[in-house]
Every structure is written in structure tokens, then in C-alpha cells.
Amino acid sequence: MKLSNYFLPILKENPSEAKIKSHQLMLRAGMIRQSASGIYSWLPMGFKVLKNIEQIVREEQNKAGAIELLMPTIQSADIWKESGRYDDYGKEMLRISDRHERDLLYGPTNEELITQIFRDNIKSYKNLPLMLYHIQWKFRDEIRPRFGVMRCREFLMKDTYSFDVDKHTAEFSYKKMFLSYLKTFQKFELNAIPMKAETGPIGGDLSHEFIILADTGESEVFLDKNLLDIDVNEVDYSEKNINEIIERFSKFYSATDEKHDVNEFEKNVSKENQLRTKGIEIGHIFYFGDKYSKSMKALVNNKEGKNINPQMGSYGIGVSRLPAAIIEAKYNGTFMKWPKTVTPFKVAIINLGKNGDEADQKSNEIYQNLINANLDPILDDTSENPSSKFKNFDLIGIPYQIIIGSKLKKDEFEFKEIGEEKLILSKEEVINRLKEIYNIDK
Ligand code: ATP
Ligand code: MG
């Protein structure tokens, strides 16, 4: 993409309505624009980031054995009346009526709808265990939408639902999702700590929130620093490995303020390992047994030929909250650096030349070579002055830059990873290095 052809409305100043750095950056770097309170449009660069995040979430769900489908955003009120949540959900639910005065709603979550789909189509234990998920927009009429896409009203969520014949296998489904969440967040270079949580309106008795540590977070959290060092990258989904890794996590203390127990914290965590800070919730998992399958009469035949209500769980990831969460973790107020799994472009070419001069020609040439190598570049071919080009790219946060001015020899290119020293490389070296970084074989 050439910047001169792109739609990237960059703001020079921090907008006054943005109180935290992720909101500031997303507005300044032209990623999002608010259209109504807590409702946002995703501009091209923000949308690319969102799509990349969505894809990683999807891949990890698939690896854990969940199957993707798509449910609508608008739901009938009838199923919510069946489960009893139509009244319970209160003002956060956006209620609509159609021209026939039928009650509809914009889904804040999908336990009812997935239970209905399950109930109408699955009758036998032989189809279990089953994990279904979708990635779809939700609406919650939050009382105080704030911090941009971090706490908004319309947001993209990945929600998975598990169905099992008994408690034991249901727990295993829960654990699988637990591991898949850790793996997903690790791909975003985020240190997400699982914390025991209240189940709230979803109900049930087992629940964890996945929280990243950030000063701007809304939850107060307490944890053992040992939790920060556990790597799950190599752990596969075998029962033994899943149990082992969860056991490791459960050895160390972690709690949000709702569940915090000062005495236990003092007793079980050494002084130097005690960490009190703030956190951002990026995922939340629940096991709630037959709460919905019972009230909505979903039944399967078990091995003994008896009809039983399946055991269920639900598992959410705030897909559209993640760009903001990643920024909170990676942006120091001057430089942003996207993880390479998420970056909107793989490499930025900063052309400091003028129309037709040598630097300009070099820029266009390497731009073409990078496209051919599947290295999705963005070329700054605008006539802005060099210092504002550099400033813009510090903000945009593409992790790798090729800077092309007039000082270097014909086959010399300045290559820079954000936050690291500049290198002088030949064109071939630049391309090979990027291919290696992004795992591109061709
Ligand atoms: P919170 O405690 O932040 O209000 P929640 O517990 O109500 O969230 P869940 O029902 O657990 O949310 O939803 C799953 C995930 O969806 C959350 O972990 C969060 O990442 C995301 N999410 C929830 N509400 C919002 C919102 N208003 N804006 C953006 N993302 C949200
Ligand atoms: Mg939650």
C-alpha cells in the first residue's frame, strides 16, 4: 500500500476526550472513529489489526477443537424469556420491537441462542463433547462507555459454548479452553493471568478471568510474580499436559479484588513475589452445568438410554478490546510496536527522497520486491518532511522500518526494528531478514 493512496487520517494532537494511551493512539493513528457514544467505526488500519487478532483467536479455537458457526446479532426475546434472563439482564440489554410488535434484542451474549440450536438438532450423547463458537458483534448498553473500544457498547466478541454429558468431561472442556486462552494471548505477546472470578449474571460455580496487567486497568489485582514466567507455547492439548499446566497455574496466588483474601495472600506469597496492581480483563470463562440446558429443556440420550440435560460452559474473548489492551501493554507514549502477529503492515518503507530521485526510485523498487515476497509493506511516498514521517511511524507502530534517504550507496538500506539500533543492509539481506522474521518460505 502506498500511503498517498491510503486512508489514514492521522491526528497531530491527543484528542481531549481520550483519557488513556490506547484510546489516544487509536484516534491519533487513524484506527477508529466514534460514531455515537460507545459505538465505533474501524478505519482501514484499525480494521486490519482487528482482523489479524480475530484470525489468531480463530486459529487457536480451531486447534482446541471448537467449531466455528455464525449466529445473528438480533435475537428473539422468547428464548430469553425461557431462560429467565429477559428480565434479569436489565438496562444493559438493547430491546427492539419489529413492525409486528414482536420483541427482539441485540444480543449481549449467546447462551440462549446456542442452547436453542443445540436442543433442536442434537439428541444423543454420541455427538458429545461439542464445542461451538462464533465471532460476532455484541451490544451492551453500558452505563458509562469509556476508554474507546476498551469499554464500549458495540463490541466484537469471540464466544464459545461447550456441551458435555457429565461433569467430568465438561471440566475437561473447560480446561481445554483455559489452555487455548493462554496460548492465544501469548501469541499477542500479552501476559494474561488467569484469576478466579465471580460468575455474575451468567451463573454457575467455576469461572476465571484472564487479565493483563496495566496501570490503566479497571480491576484491582493481586498475584504471585511467579505467574508471569509460565510459558505455554509448547504445551499441546493432550489431557496429561493440560492437567499439568493447570496444576502449575493453580499453585500460585492470583485474585481480583472481588475474590481477594489478604490473609491467604500474605501466607502463601513471599514478600518479594507479591504484586498488587491493576488489570484489564480480556477473556472470561464459565462452567455453569445445566443452568441453560435445564431451563430451556435441551436433552440428550445418555449411554444408558436416559434423557439428561447436557453440562455447559461458555468462554468469551473481547476481540475488539484486544487492540486497545495490546496498545496499553506495548505503547510507551512515544513509540508503539505491534506484535508481528498483529501488525497492520509487516514493514514500513520511509522514503525520504523526492519525486524521481534516486531514493525515490530505490523505495519504489524495494516496495515492489516486498509485495512480491508477500511482505505486505506500506510505503510512505507523501511529501511530508522527514521528522513528521518518523513521528507518524513511531505512532503507527509497524515493528520494522526501511529508511531510504540520499546518503547511502546504491545497494544499501537502513533497516530498523523499533526500539533497536539501525542496521545497514543490502536489499537481499533486508528481504531475507523479513522473510525469516515472518516465517515466509518463498
Ligand atoms: P467487564 O467485567 O469488563 O464488564 P464482563 O465480565 O461483563 O466484562 P464477559 O461477559 O465476561 O464481560 O465478556 C467476555 C469478554 O468481552 C470480556 O472479557 C471483555 O474482554 C469483553 N467485553 C465485555 N464487555 C465489553 C465492553 N463493554 N466493551 C468491550 N469489550 C467488552
Ligand atoms: Mg467478565
Side-chain angles (χ1 to χ4, degrees), residues 89 92 108-109 111 138 140 142 145 148-158 198 201-202 209-210 218-219 280-286 315-322:
Y89 220 94
E92 273 196 18
T109 177
E111 281 80 8
K138 307 288 187 287
R140 293 182 186 173
E142 297 272 354
V149 296
M150 194 77 95
R151 180 163 300 286
C152 50
R153 296 198 297 168
E154 191 189 41
F155 60 96
L156 189 61
M157 197 205 281
K158 183 290 298 172
E198 294 291 350
I202 293 189
E209 288 176 347
F210 290 77
E218 291 178 292
S219 341
I280 301 168
E281 179 192 322
I282 50 177
H284 197 165
I285 62 178
F286 303 86
Y315 315 86
I317 290 182
V319 176
S320 61
R321 180 179 279 183
L322 274 167

Side-chain angles (χ1 to χ4, degrees), residues 144-325:
R144 266 186 69 210
R146 60 187 183 281
F147 307 149
V149 296
M150 194 77 95
R151 180 163 300 286
C152 50
R153 296 198 297 168
E154 191 189 41
F155 60 96
L156 189 61
M157 197 205 281
K158 183 290 298 172
D159 37 326
T160 307
Y161 302 89
S162 64
F163 298 87
D164 282 274
V165 265
D166 58 38
K167 202 168 168 171
H168 178 72
T169 59
E171 263 173 27
F172 186 56
S173 297
Y174 185 90
K175 288 178 178 173
K176 260 192 191 162
M177 276 298 129
F178 189 105
L179 173 61
S180 90
Y181 275 36
L182 293 169
K183 281 169 151 309
T184 304
F185 299 136
Q186 204 165 310
K187 293 225 161 86
F188 301 132
E189 297 172 13
L190 293 175
N191 226 328
I193 313 292
M195 304 200 178
K196 276 225 171 73
E198 294 291 350
T199 52
I202 293 189
D205 46 28
L206 181 57
S207 174
H208 285 89
E209 288 176 347
F210 290 77
I211 293 195
I212 62 157
L213 310 182
D215 300 338
T216 43
E218 291 178 292
S219 341
E220 213 180 330
V221 297
F222 304 81
L223 63 139
D224 186 322
K225 280 185 192 157
N226 279 305
L227 284 166
L228 299 170
D229 301 325
I230 306 179
D231 183 354
V232 295
N233 204 14
E234 299 294 322
V235 183
D236 65 25
Y237 286 99
S238 66
E239 187 155 2
K240 178 173 160 284
N241 287 344
I242 290 180
N243 283 329
E244 257 173 38
I245 194 80
I246 291 185
E247 195 130 304
R248 247 185 103 189
F249 271 94
S250 42
K251 270 200 208 124
F252 301 111
Y253 186 95
S254 70
T256 59
D257 49 357
E258 288 166 344
K259 288 260 176 184
H260 181 53
D261 179 334
V262 186
N263 294 332
E264 267 209 32
F265 190 52
E266 296 294 338
K267 201 173 87 197
N268 295 327
V269 189
S270 67
K271 271 273 174 287
E272 68 272 16
N273 279 335
Q274 289 179 4
L275 186 58
R276 298 147 216 258
T277 179
K278 294 247 170 85
I280 301 168
E281 179 192 322
I282 50 177
H284 197 165
I285 62 178
F286 303 86
Y287 165 64
F288 44 71
D290 62 5
K291 180 173 150 79
Y292 298 91
S293 56
K294 200 166 182 181
S295 58
M296 293 184 65
K297 303 190 178 59
L299 290 165
V300 287
N301 229 261
N302 71 5
K303 247 189 194 139
E304 287 74 42
K306 216 176 107 196
N307 272 336
I308 52 136
N309 301 116
Q311 299 284 309
M312 292 174 60
S314 73
Y315 315 86
I317 290 182
V319 176
S320 61
R321 180 179 279 183
L322 274 167

